[in-house]
Amino acid sequence: MREADGQFQVVKNTLAIKAAKGTAVEALETHFTGPVAVAIGYDDMIASAKALSDFFKKAPEGTLKVKGAIADGKQMDAAAVEKLAKTPSLPETRAML
């Protein structure tokens, strides 16, 4: 995630819920159950989604999964995050043109 200008952090659910109050992330409150980590991308959401997807593929089967995401203030499910990870990045798109 660092290469994609992002962070991946295990969080305490009660603190995450309190921190999310009044923000777009509040929509994900129902996902803060059990062990949870939060991935934050600061610049390029596609690069962050790709980095996260690659990291998850290297993890042992069934240990990590995407529960949901917020991108540009909109809630996304796991399938939408995977689709975003497969989207060509801006440099890749430019190379295609």
Side-chain angles (χ1 to χ4, degrees):
M1 286 294 297
R2 287 186 189 140
E3 295 83 23
D5 193 25
Q7 293 180 324
F8 184 79
Q9 182 72 45
V10 175
V11 297
K12 294 273 191 183
N13 292 330
T14 52
L15 291 176
I17 290 169
K18 286 181 182 181
K21 292 285 185 207
T23 70
V25 181
E26 189 171 16
L28 298 176
E29 185 176 328
T30 59
H31 296 298
F32 290 111
T33 59
V36 173
V38 175
I40 301 170
Y42 295 106
D43 189 31
D44 183 355
M45 77 174 98
I46 294 174
S48 297
K50 286 180 185 290
L52 191 62
S53 179
D54 291 345
F55 176 69
F56 279 23
K57 287 176 185 172
K58 293 176 187 173
E61 186 71 31
T63 56
L64 300 173
K65 70 176 185 173
V66 174
K67 292 183 175 183
I70 298 289
D72 285 336
K74 295 183 175 83
Q75 186 174 356
M76 300 170 64
D77 62 7
V81 174
E82 188 59 35
K83 186 175 181 180
L84 183 64
K86 292 178 181 177
T87 302
S89 66
L90 184 57
E92 291 170 337
T93 304
R94 286 181 179 153
M96 288 180 206
L97 298 174

